[in-house]
Amino acid sequence: MASSSFLLLISLLLLLLPFHSDADLHKTRLRQSDLFSESHVSTTADHSTPPTVFFEVTKPIVTPKAKPCSLLVLHHDFAYTYGKPPVLADYTPPSHCSFTKFSKIVLEWKATCRGRQFDRIFGVWLGGVEILRSCTAEPRATGIVWTVQKDITRYNSLLSKNQTLAVYLGNLVDKTYTGIYNVKIHIHFYPEEEGFGGNGVYSEKLGSAYDSDSRADLILPISRNLPLNDGLWFEVQNSTDVQLKEFEIPQNVYRALLEVYVSFHENDEFWYSNLPNDYIVANNLTDTPGNGPFREVLVDLDGDIVAAVWPFTVIYTGGVNPLLWRPISGIGSFNLPSYDIELTPFLGNLLDGKGHSFGFRVTHALNVWFINANLHLWLDDNSVKTEAKLLNHIVSSPSMSQDLNFTGADGTFLTKVTRSVSSAGWVKSSFGTITTLSNQDLSYSNLMMMGNNGSSQTVNQEIHFNSSVYAKQESSHVYSSKTLKTFPLYMYSNTIDQGNGSYRSIANLTLGFNEKKTDGLGSFISSLKNVQNGQGLMVVKGNLVTSGLGSTQQDYRYYDDVQCYSRSISSSNYTILHDNVKNMCGEKQNSSESLRFRRWPIPARRASLDSNLFVNNGHV
Ligand SMILES: *[C@@H]1O[C@H](CO)[C@@H](O)[C@H](O)[C@H]1NC(C)=O
Ligand SMILES: *[C@@H]1O[C@H](CO)[C@@H](O)[C@H](O)[C@H]1NC(C)=O
Ligand SMILES: *[C@@H]1O[C@H](CO)[C@@H](O)[C@H](O)[C@H]1NC(C)=O
Ligand SMILES: *[C@@H]1O[C@H](CO)[C@@H](O)[C@H](O)[C@H]1NC(C)=O
Ligand SMILES: *[C@@H]1O[C@H](CO)[C@@H](O)[C@H](O)[C@H]1NC(C)=O
Ligand SMILES: *[C@@H]1O[C@H](CO)[C@@H](O)[C@H](O)[C@H]1NC(C)=O
Ligand SMILES: *[C@@H]1O[C@H](CO)[C@@H](O)[C@H](O)[C@H]1NC(C)=O
Ligand SMILES: *[C@@H]1O[C@H](CO)[C@@H](O)[C@H](O)[C@H]1NC(C)=O
Ligand SMILES: *[C@@H]1O[C@H](CO)[C@@H](O)[C@H](O)[C@H]1NC(C)=O
Ligand SMILES: *[C@@H]1O[C@H](CO)[C@@H](O)[C@H](O)[C@H]1NC(C)=O
């Protein structure tokens, strides 16, 4: 029957995303009704098979050669933790180290899991400051193991004091979802080494405040307070929801930077593929995530927009087709990017010793977005009070164009948006009067096509996220940096009903995270090009993938003045087909096992910035 087959196809369209929607319902808003009661996967797994190592392709962290001093800060089994308080541990700074100053601090998350489990989002907070947002790997019956290393040197000031460590990983264990995550978190502290990690590179404190390796003197959590039965993130449920946090800063701040952590779940896990509401209504779709494919996270300060974050499209380890992410995980999935926003121009409004508020919201949001932030502050040791004034603050309203063209379930939708936010302000400290200009220029385009009577979807999206900061003293330049990020995404999926309660889905994917940094004069600082391609096939019954195949290819290229790293890798059906690593500038190396960090001569970038500082700011 024609009409019922149409409905069937439409419900298949629902299935396209719902496989994930179901998955993320389990991840965040678990309800008994979402669960399977039956289980036909043997839990008596073969313990003799070694666990599969899952990993995200990323550059190694450059550390000094000296042995680090390491702390085990948490060892915990995350079993039924959903809706429970975060796991807490007392953190005390390392007392057994022979050194008290650190050139590098590295967080290491290592976890194992066996059985069946969904991908779970989790966060790690120290004193309410988020230091890692990540997603678990989905286990196999024979077990998996994975490690995430993150450079957390920028949180140095927190790590030198006693703190409460909080980890929230909402997991659920029952007869079907058997996976328990066994987690160890270590922090490795590396001693200071000559010329390493901002040590002695800048003699001027002001210069160091703007250095990319700079560590704030104070970091305030812009997150929810403990105790909680959940993560410390705020949960933004819809487009009108604004989550507020009151805070107060010391009166001798001379630089402020807000670091925002964002992740999206449930109906917005795949926001970039959400359909326009007109299409949903016209096709009588129910339970299909809508509001179109554009989202922007807005940060308000005392009610005014101060920044926009157009997030990278992280695909979690169960997303699109879980077989794509075994063993190579999706870009950013094990270490979600955070977004830095220069707020120094707004210090003029914040140095009054009074309370202020940040607000987080997401335009067009569906439930749910997990958002919180860290406010990094640099303090003037030589004064109890700095002065500041906001000179200029311009927020363009987003210019959005939408072109919807559909007949029945087939159609083409083009969405384009641009936005800019700029601010300027001066701060008078013991370093003199510095004027800071901060700009964000963003553009977005999304071309979505529905075909095969609504059972296939193609998404072609690109986000351009430019930001720049210029700091100058009188007419001379103190610091400048420009970051150009581009996030390309291509996603094709097609779903075919098998007529017996199962469906077959194919998906092709291209996911890119590119970031180029220059100083304000256009001199190169660093470049990252990171692109993943995936082709997946799966047969799904209920929430279970009953068979399928995933193939992934990734090309990662990073270079700056101290590190060159590239890796070209591909996998299919859990097996690495090729893996070519180059870890030296200009030289070739072909084994991923033999990664050794190398140090290169004095970075040219620093040398030139240094000379700018001296030439232009002799009087600082
Ligand atoms: C698309 O679905 C509609 C509604 O069920 C049906 O009438 C039409 O025949 C289908 N078209 C194709 C090409 O399958
Ligand atoms: C930090 O915690 C340790 C261990 O609990 C305790 O001995 C020490 O006194 C604390 N330090 C401060 C400054 O509170
Ligand atoms: C949006 O979310 C907030 C917070 O959960 C809720 O209070 C409000 O009713 C929601 N608004 C709409 C229109 O659903
Ligand atoms: C949607 O529902 C309305 C009313 O129930 C009906 O008239 C219309 O034909 C339906 N449209 C489709 C595409 O099924
Ligand atoms: C809308 O799509 C149809 C085919 O699906 C095409 O023929 C038509 O030119 C499109 N219209 C516009 C304005 O793009
Ligand atoms: C970002 O910067 C690049 C290089 O300056 C420029 O080509 C591009 O148009 C900018 N994008 C936006 C959205 O401003
Ligand atoms: C469903 O049907 C397809 C094709 O007819 C078949 O290959 C598959 O094994 C069936 N699956 C189940 C679970 O019955
Ligand atoms: C999907 O990927 C396969 C294998 O690379 C390719 O043959 C096919 O053309 C792709 N299809 C689309 C629509 O991207
Ligand atoms: C994947 O690998 C398994 C065992 O390694 C094999 O049994 C299976 O046939 C492979 N699947 C495909 C689609 O190649
Ligand atoms: C690459 O690795 C293979 C096997 O691991 C080895 O035989 C070969 O000599 C290596 N090639 C280079 C250029 O190092």
Side-chain angles (χ1 to χ4, degrees), residues 30-292:
L30 289 160
R31 295 189 298 259
Q32 285 306 322
S33 60
D34 297 318
L35 303 178
F36 293 118
S37 50
E38 94 288 358
S39 165
H40 29 230
V41 153
S42 157
T43 48
T44 55
D46 173 7
H47 285 229
S48 63
T49 314
T52 312
V53 178
F54 285 5
F55 56 93
E56 183 183 334
V57 171
T58 186
K59 65 184 191 299
I61 299 166
V62 178
T63 58
K65 281 188 223 79
K67 231 174 101 72
C69 170
S70 301
L71 279 182
L72 174 65
V73 293
L74 186 78
H75 186 182
H76 190 82
D77 287 338
F78 289 85
Y80 203 121
T81 45
Y82 183 80
K84 297 204 172 147
V87 173
L88 303 180
D90 287 330
Y91 166 85
T92 50
S95 54
H96 63 292
C97 302
S98 57
F99 46 92
T100 53
K101 289 191 168 173
F102 313 116
S103 61
K104 244 336 165 216
I105 308 173
V106 175
L107 176 86
E108 183 187 276
W109 165 282
K110 186 167 185 175
T112 61
C113 191
R114 188 193 297 278
R116 182 191 285 149
Q117 196 49 269
F118 282 108
D119 48 349
R120 308 292 186 188
I121 193 79
F122 68 89
V124 179
W125 294 264
L126 197 62
V129 169
E130 184 160 2
I131 58 175
L132 175 68
R133 177 85 55 102
S134 184
C135 170
T136 61
E138 290 194 350
R140 309 179 71 177
T142 52
I144 58 157
V145 58
W146 84 100
T147 302
V148 183
Q149 289 200 322
K150 180 171 178 181
D151 184 344
I152 56 164
T153 316
R154 70 186 305 193
Y155 307 110
N156 186 53
S157 64
L158 285 173
L159 290 153
S160 61
K161 295 196 183 78
N162 285 358
Q163 305 282 356
T164 299
L165 181 89
V167 181
Y168 182 76
L169 186 168
N171 193 25
L172 184 136
V173 174
D174 63 10
K175 272 184 283 175
T176 310
Y177 300 104
T178 53
I180 294 172
Y181 288 104
N182 175 278
V183 175
K184 276 186 189 166
I185 304 178
H186 281 95
I187 300 181
H188 305 293
F189 297 85
Y190 289 85
E192 278 196 323
E193 195 176 281
E194 191 56 35
F196 204 93
N199 164 29
V201 173
Y202 288 121
S203 50
E204 308 281 358
K205 192 177 177 197
L206 181 62
S208 88
Y210 281 99
D211 183 13
S212 58
D213 295 333
S214 179
R215 308 155 189 192
D217 300 301
L218 177 68
I219 308 173
L220 298 181
I222 310 297
S223 60
R224 294 198 296 167
N225 299 327
L226 293 168
L228 287 168
N229 291 325
D230 211 331
L232 278 70
W233 43 55
F234 294 101
E235 302 187 11
V236 174
Q237 307 280 352
N238 56 49
S239 57
T240 54
D241 193 2
V242 185
Q243 293 291 323
L244 295 170
K245 172 81 177 198
E246 298 278 330
F247 69 98
E248 198 178 302
I249 67 169
Q251 286 182 271
N252 63 337
V253 173
Y254 69 94
R255 187 183 177 206
L257 183 151
L258 190 72
E259 177 192 17
V260 183
Y261 280 88
V262 169
S263 61
F264 24 83
H265 307 282
E266 298 184 41
N267 288 319
D268 262 357
E269 178 174 350
F270 302 96
W271 51 270
Y272 40 84
S273 66
N274 279 17
L275 292 160
N277 292 342
D278 289 353
Y279 173 93
I280 290 175
V281 170
N283 287 291
N284 290 345
L285 303 182
T286 51
D287 294 329
T288 301
N291 282 6

Side-chain angles (χ1 to χ4, degrees), residues 6 23 52 94 102 201 250 294 310 386 430 461 484 541 590:
F6 174 78
T52 312
F102 313 116
V201 173
F294 176 69
W310 291 10
T386 49
S430 66
Q461 177 175 293
L484 313 177
K541 187 155 186 153
N590 77 355

Side-chain angles (χ1 to χ4, degrees), residues 291-318:
N291 282 6
F294 176 69
R295 300 291 180 273
E296 86 175 324
V297 176
L298 292 172
V299 180
D300 296 340
L301 177 59
D302 296 329
D304 293 327
I305 295 172
V306 290
V309 172
W310 291 10
F312 171 65
T313 49
V314 181
I315 298 178
Y316 309 122
T317 56

